[in-house]
Amino acid sequence: MKINKLYLLLILVALVAPSLVYPVFLMKLLCFALFACAFNLLLGFVGLLSFGHAVFLGTGGYITGYLMLNTGLTPELGVLAGTVGAGLLGAIYGKLAVKREGIYFAMVTLALAQLAFFFYLQAPFTGGEDGLQGVPRGELFGLIDLNDNFAMYYFVLAIFIFGFWMVHRTVHSPFGQILKAIRENEPRAVSLGYNVNDYKWVAFIISSALAGLAGSTKTLVFQLASLTDVHWHMSGEVVLMTLLGGMGTIFGPLVGAGVVISIQNMLSGGELGNYIHIIMGIIFIVCVLAFRSGIVGEFQKLVKKNFG
Amino acid sequence: MATIFGINLFALSGQLLVGLINGSFYALLSLGLAIIFGLLKIINFAQGAMYMLGAFFAWMALNYMGINYWWALILVPLAVGVLAILMERFLVRPIANEDHLYSLLLTFGIALVLQGLFTHIYGSSGLPYQIPAELKGGTKLPFMYLPNYRAWIIVSSLVVCFSTWWVIEKTKLGAYLRAGTENPQLMQGFGINVPLITTLTFGFGVALAAFAGVLAAPVYSVSPEMGSNILIVVFAIVVIGGMGSIGGAILTGLLMGVVEGLTKFFYPEASTTVIFLFMVIVLLVKPAGLFGKEA
């Protein structure tokens, strides 16, 4: 009951937010928060560190961007295509990656993502270094013009709520319980008769499709799909958001994305650009050494200690 | 012009040479990773940054202190090794008993800081480093022209790689090392200082990357991004090789360099991806890697 009130409050805040804060910033935040939620589904709830998750963000973005530019699809269909495309790539990559565990899993996902990076760099339809520019936002269901930032914002918010609900639903389902069992004690899950690799695989597909959803939406917001979204730096960023916010918590990725995007917005442009890497690196080091549960995790611990 | 089956031998051997050189760097870097992984079960994500640091230290030593290439080749790995020892002691060791993913994230953070720092100071365009005078020029072979410096890269990295292999696999010191990883408590019981050995080995593994960095400085331009670009390729190589053995890391590194060189000759479009494709095939056929022990 308590948690439902919290959700209602958050949705209320999200509904009025664009009148107070620049909507494009909010949309960027929502896209990255969704990306981080999708990533956290793997890292936080299955214990799988996918170090190449940017590939799904970027793939969703490229597919949506290409279709919107060339076929005149409506935006909801463009986003759907990007999501499905990223999910399919996730199915292939996931099948390969779940064969290895732990650190190897991280390396395999990173290398597979790099394979796609070089492909997108050279493929004729991605615009190479320039990316796909001037992607039209189109009209939602052929009715609502998304060039208006407010209309676009509510579309993005609806997508985010859907994605967040998907993660929430997955985690709190019997399927999610098995995922957590795998995270806690994989050999035991195996001995209970679960085909662990299949469960990991399905989680991987859901996560990559949602990451693709985030990428597709991001492409519509910024009207741009580029190599930055596929680069492994982006994979690092989403790890940072999740770690900083608190992996394995429902709200952690949201908070982490908020902090990282805000820092980047403050520092972007001009001389301070290089500081972003340095600061992100330091946050990484401090998080790992000092507060591994992240902001939300530490907050929950604090609440439990004082009020629990 | 020498040709066989219509293939330009001159161009082919040229690409093979480039492949062998890249392979030498891959071998040095994956060997360092394998040693660190073997002892500490850490994937040192900062290994690429340490390679970059090696190249930059060589450049700085020459331009700020007038220390020439030959001294740099000895002093830079030592300096970077000492840095790595400090890093192990104060950053990595406190989390040594946590999930290994944390050490990966920690070293990733270190890599970001180093790369950001050097981009901030030197920009991202890259700095030139002259080939030392003694190694200028080259030898004309019947099928190719072999620049002396390139020959030196291959020979010196092979010597370093195989002496490392020999020390670890064939000497008493190596036996202690391997025993220390298998059963640290037992080795402690025999009066061997395992944490010291671990720290020194970490330093040595990183020093190998710095050595590769100094070797690379005259052939590639010295830039902050050189480390992150090569590191991901080396990760793929590690997956292919399987990290099961020290020798496997060296051989896979060299082999993949050659594979890359051959691809550049026969089908250049795929040269940046061929190693990753190779990794996919190995994962399908033998998930533990070519030299991997685990099932």
Side-chain angles (χ1 to χ4, degrees):
Chain A
M1 210 50 209
K2 213 169 128 195
I3 199 89
N4 283 339
K5 274 183 193 155
L6 181 62
Y7 280 133
L8 276 177
L9 184 72
L10 280 175
I11 290 176
L12 263 175
V13 170
L15 286 175
V16 293
S19 356
L20 306 167
V21 187
Y22 184 47
V24 177
F25 172 75
L26 289 175
M27 288 191 268
K28 184 179 181 187
L29 208 154
L30 286 175
C31 290
F32 278 102
L34 177 57
F35 182 33
C37 284
F39 173 79
N40 185 43
L41 177 62
L42 279 182
L43 178 60
F45 296 102
V46 204
L48 292 172
L49 174 59
S50 164
F51 225 113
H53 234 51
V55 71
F56 305 115
L57 183 82
T59 299
Y62 274 128
I63 293 176
T64 304
Y66 183 80
L67 291 176
M68 295 300 289
L69 270 172
N70 295 298
T71 63
L73 270 186
T74 49
E76 71 282 356
L77 289 178
V79 167
L80 184 68
T83 310
V84 172
L88 285 176
L89 185 69
I92 300 168
Y93 276 15
K95 195 83 197 168
L96 286 166
V98 296
K99 289 182 175 217
R100 304 303 312 266
E101 286 169 18
I103 315 177
Y104 279 103
F105 179 85
M107 289 194 289
V108 169
T109 46
L110 178 58
L112 286 173
Q114 204 63 4
L115 177 68
F117 176 83
F118 284 119
F119 172 74
Y120 289 133
L121 180 65
Q122 293 174 345
F125 57 86
T126 57
E129 304 270 1
D130 300 328
L132 299 171
Q133 297 179 1
V135 176
R137 282 182 181 174
E139 290 176 332
L140 189 59
F141 305 116
L143 294 170
I144 305 161
D145 185 10
L146 290 181
N147 286 311
D148 175 42
N149 270 342
F150 279 88
M152 187 70 206
Y153 172 80
Y154 290 110
F155 180 49
V156 174
L157 182 64
I159 288 176
F160 172 79
I161 290 174
F162 167 77
F164 188 82
W165 176 78
M166 277 291 288
V167 173
H168 191 271
R169 202 63 209 88
T170 308
V171 169
H172 292 97
S173 66
F175 173 74
Q177 294 299 324
I178 297 165
L179 293 182
K180 280 182 239 175
I182 294 171
R183 178 189 67 187
E184 295 304 325
N185 193 336
E186 186 166 338
R188 184 173 288 174
V190 172
S191 73
L192 285 172
Y194 293 113
N195 192 336
V196 166
N197 278 358
D198 282 355
Y199 280 92
K200 286 183 184 171
W201 186 44
V202 174
F204 198 93
I205 296 172
I206 298 174
S207 172
S208 56
L210 288 178
L213 178 63
S216 301
T217 315
K218 183 169 172 287
T219 290
L220 281 191
V221 171
F222 291 99
Q223 306 187 286
L224 171 78
S226 74
L227 282 171
T228 332
D229 289 349
V230 206
H231 199 271
W232 66 270
H233 275 163
M234 185 62 83
S235 302
E237 263 173 42
V238 74
V239 181
L240 183 66
M241 290 172 187
T242 310
L243 186 67
L244 178 65
M247 59 171 91
T249 62
I250 279 283
F251 289 108
L254 262 159
V255 175
V259 175
V260 172
I261 297 295
S262 304
I263 293 176
Q264 284 179 348
N265 260 38
M266 274 191 285
L267 294 179
S268 69
E271 292 284 301
L272 294 171
N274 295 321
Y275 284 117
I276 293 177
H277 286 300
I278 303 178
I279 290 174
M280 296 214 322
I282 292 173
I283 298 178
F284 251 111
I285 297 171
V286 172
C287 273
V288 171
L289 287 178
F291 65 119
R292 242 162 269 136
S293 326
I295 296 171
V296 172
E298 296 289 339
F299 180 74
Q300 282 174 347
K301 270 194 219 163
L302 205 76
V303 170
K304 218 175 240 171
K305 212 165 97 189
N306 294 311
F307 305 100
Chain B
M1 183 136 314
T3 53
I4 283 184
F5 307 124
I7 292 169
N8 184 342
L9 269 186
F10 218 75
L12 177 62
S13 50
Q15 286 303 345
L16 268 180
L17 179 68
V18 171
L20 267 179
I21 289 166
N22 286 336
S24 305
F25 295 130
Y26 295 157
L28 281 169
L29 286 169
S30 62
L31 174 61
L33 276 180
I35 291 173
I36 292 171
F37 181 78
L39 273 199
L40 299 137
K41 293 286 176 287
I42 287 176
I43 286 292
N44 183 18
F45 214 105
Q47 192 78 346
M50 296 302 174
Y51 164 79
M52 180 268 290
L53 212 56
F56 261 103
F57 277 8
W59 186 89
M60 288 155 83
L62 183 69
N63 287 281
Y64 299 152
M65 293 178 272
I67 296 172
N68 70 19
Y69 173 83
W70 300 104
W71 280 107
L73 208 52
I74 301 165
L75 294 178
V76 169
L78 277 177
V80 176
V82 169
L83 266 181
I85 284 172
L86 293 173
M87 183 174 122
E88 198 277 334
R89 182 66 194 78
F90 293 106
L91 296 175
V92 179
R93 194 179 299 174
I95 57 157
N97 295 322
E98 305 284 340
D99 194 321
H100 301 312
L101 296 178
Y102 286 113
S103 56
L104 190 156
L105 297 178
L106 178 83
T107 48
F108 177 61
I110 294 170
L112 277 181
V113 171
L114 285 173
Q115 193 179 328
L117 213 58
F118 277 84
T119 314
H120 181 62
I121 303 171
Y122 294 99
S124 51
S125 52
L127 307 162
Y129 188 98
Q130 287 284 314
I131 291 176
E134 296 84 347
L135 290 175
K136 281 194 172 135
T139 322
K140 205 165 164 40
L141 301 174
F143 52 91
M144 70 181 299
Y145 175 77
L146 178 64
N148 289 341
Y149 188 75
R150 307 207 159 210
W152 159 251
I153 291 179
I154 297 170
V155 171
S156 61
S157 67
L158 281 180
V159 168
V160 169
C161 281
F162 283 100
S163 30
T164 307
W165 172 83
W166 184 78
V167 169
I168 293 178
E169 299 287 340
K170 303 286 170 197
T171 65
K172 202 165 180 179
L173 176 68
Y176 285 152
L177 279 180
R178 282 176 285 132
T181 56
E182 291 291 326
N183 196 336
Q185 278 85 14
L186 189 70
M187 288 310 282
Q188 293 272 36
F190 281 141
I192 311 272
N193 189 342
V194 175
L196 179 73
I197 289 192
T198 317
T199 306
L200 289 177
T201 314
F202 187 83
F204 179 76
V206 167
L208 282 175
F211 178 76
V214 183
L215 276 184
V219 271
Y220 307 124
S221 66
V222 179
S223 88
E225 268 145 42
M226 62 193 285
S228 62
N229 292 337
I230 199 170
L231 184 70
I232 297 165
V233 177
V234 173
F235 275 179
I237 289 170
V238 162
V239 174
I240 296 168
M243 281 251 248
S245 70
I246 299 293
I250 302 170
L251 290 178
T252 318
L254 285 170
L255 182 71
M256 286 302 115
V258 172
V259 165
E260 204 179 42
L262 286 176
T263 315
K264 211 169 261 170
F265 181 77
F266 288 106
Y267 190 63
E269 291 83 358
S271 63
T272 46
T273 52
V274 67
I275 292 182
F276 302 110
L277 286 174
F278 216 88
M279 183 193 77
V280 171
I281 295 167
V282 169
L283 274 173
L284 285 172
V285 181
K286 200 167 181 288
L290 296 179
F291 297 87
K293 285 176 209 154
E294 47 179 334

